[in-house]
Amino acid sequence: MNDMTPASPTPAAKPKPRPRPQVMKLTEAAAARVTELTQRADSEIVGLRVGIKNGGCAGQSYTVEYAHEIRPTDEVVEDRGVKILVDPKAVLFLLGTEMDYKADKMQAQFIFNNPNQVSACGCGESVQLTAAKV
């Protein structure tokens, strides 16, 4: 007796997921400042959390705050020995951003060199961002 049952098709191998791009990178100056801030914080922190909030002349502004815990939805960026946690709502707006730190006689601040930035207000406090095209 012949078995006329067709052979079951071999399942196609799943393609390997492509590597995820790193959301942000840090300059040496930014990494040094993050290290300094984490070492002198009043309580234990795991890094800095970076995000975006609505408001300001141009519509949005960057946020930087101490992170006391890693949330399950955080995008964790480890660069130059420090940890930056990116708010999941900000990931597409920050993709490809370089975080720098500049200090002069008048001010000291983190600077975001963001390819997704469309414009900024005159005072420098807010920006207009568009989502990255991936």
Side-chain angles (χ1 to χ4, degrees):
M1 194 188 240
N2 252 349
D3 186 6
M4 300 297 271
T5 311
S8 59
T10 308
K14 288 185 181 181
K16 291 182 181 178
R18 66 182 176 160
R20 293 175 61 180
Q22 184 169 328
V23 176
M24 294 176 60
K25 62 182 178 178
L26 283 79
T27 63
E28 283 292 334
R33 181 63 176 159
V34 171
T35 300
E36 180 184 334
L37 288 171
T38 55
Q39 289 175 348
R40 70 176 213 199
D42 293 342
S43 58
E44 188 174 329
I45 61 172
V46 294
L48 293 184
R49 180 169 284 109
V50 174
I52 295 170
K53 69 177 181 176
N54 292 331
C57 317
Q60 298 162 307
S61 59
Y62 297 105
T63 61
V64 179
E65 61 189 20
Y66 290 129
H68 298 283
E69 64 183 4
I70 298 175
R71 298 175 186 153
T73 55
D74 283 336
E75 181 75 26
V76 179
V77 174
E78 294 187 61
D79 192 17
R80 300 182 188 268
V82 298
K83 201 173 283 189
I84 299 293
L85 310 174
V86 180
D87 183 321
K89 293 177 277 188
V91 169
L92 281 177
F93 295 101
L94 294 175
L95 213 70
T97 298
E98 178 187 67
M99 184 174 168
D100 195 7
Y101 179 76
K102 301 228 184 230
D104 60 26
K105 292 180 182 181
M106 299 298 285
Q107 63 184 356
Q109 64 184 347
F110 286 108
I111 306 291
F112 294 89
N113 300 312
N114 187 340
N116 307 305
Q117 183 173 316
V118 178
S119 65
C121 69
C123 66
E125 293 295 318
S126 66
V127 294
Q128 182 181 4
L129 302 171
T130 184
K133 293 169 179 57
V134 288

